[in-house]
Amino acid sequence: MTPMGVLSADALTMGLSGLLIAAGVPALIHRTRAWPGWGRISLPAAVALPLFVVLHAAAVLTEPFVPSALARGIVEAFLLYAALLYWLPVLGTRHRLSDPARCMYLYLSMPLLDLPAVAMVAMGHTAGGLAMVAAMLPIGLAALGITWRWINQEERLAQAGAE
């Protein structure tokens, strides 16, 4: 395989991992919101966010140095579980944050989750790092959607109170 092929494979792997975290996991939680298991595994946001940020950074920064597919799969499995814990305060039922807190949670997490990808770019893994940054854009879209919904809800409440 050529060096360009390796870069493409790394970029694809990083991009798919980021997309699964930023879009796949929240879609799964949203579609199965009624499942009682979410409440059993849900953590408070103050625990879920740092746990996910640290595990995400470790997984992203060690990705180029883990040659074994089995080891990489184990790391990805832990990362996906941590992503479930990360999204549950936003989308779940137990420990669910208020709309303003969900906005702050997502807006705060975006740069923290992009820092490892920026470090990847700095280490010379440009394609993989940029793929990860691009794949994590759905988090920003979720934050914008929640913000928009919250603003509209506040306006409706203000109009209903003024009438």
Side-chain angles (χ1 to χ4, degrees):
M1 190 180 287
T2 65
M4 187 56 146
V6 171
L7 273 178
S8 297
D10 287 347
L12 181 63
T13 301
M14 300 275 298
L16 288 176
S17 176
L19 196 57
L20 189 57
I21 288 166
V25 170
L28 172 69
I29 293 171
H30 182 71
R31 298 280 294 172
T32 61
R33 185 175 294 158
W35 183 57
W38 293 135
R40 287 191 288 270
I41 67 168
S42 179
L43 295 174
V47 176
L49 179 60
L51 174 72
F52 182 62
V53 166
V54 169
L55 190 55
H56 178 263
V60 169
L61 294 174
T62 60
E63 195 273 336
F65 309 109
V66 179
S68 165
L70 177 62
R72 193 74 225 141
I74 292 169
V75 169
E76 284 296 320
F78 277 115
L79 186 59
L80 285 175
Y81 183 72
L84 286 169
L85 298 176
Y86 164 79
W87 280 104
L88 283 171
V90 177
L91 301 169
T93 53
R94 183 173 174 231
H95 300 298
R96 184 183 174 108
L97 298 169
S98 66
D99 283 346
R102 291 189 309 155
C103 294
M104 290 302 297
Y105 181 86
L106 291 172
Y107 286 126
L108 175 66
S109 70
M110 287 187 308
L112 295 174
L113 294 173
D114 282 342
L115 279 175
V118 171
M120 292 294 293
V121 171
M123 292 187 314
H125 301 280
T126 307
L130 292 177
M132 179 63 77
V133 170
M136 298 295 266
L137 288 175
I139 295 175
L141 295 175
L144 286 172
I146 291 168
T147 303
W148 186 256
R149 197 185 99 210
W150 171 43
I151 289 170
N152 285 328
Q153 182 180 11
E154 290 292 321
E155 285 181 1
R156 283 192 300 274
L157 289 173
Q159 288 175 352
E163 293 175 357

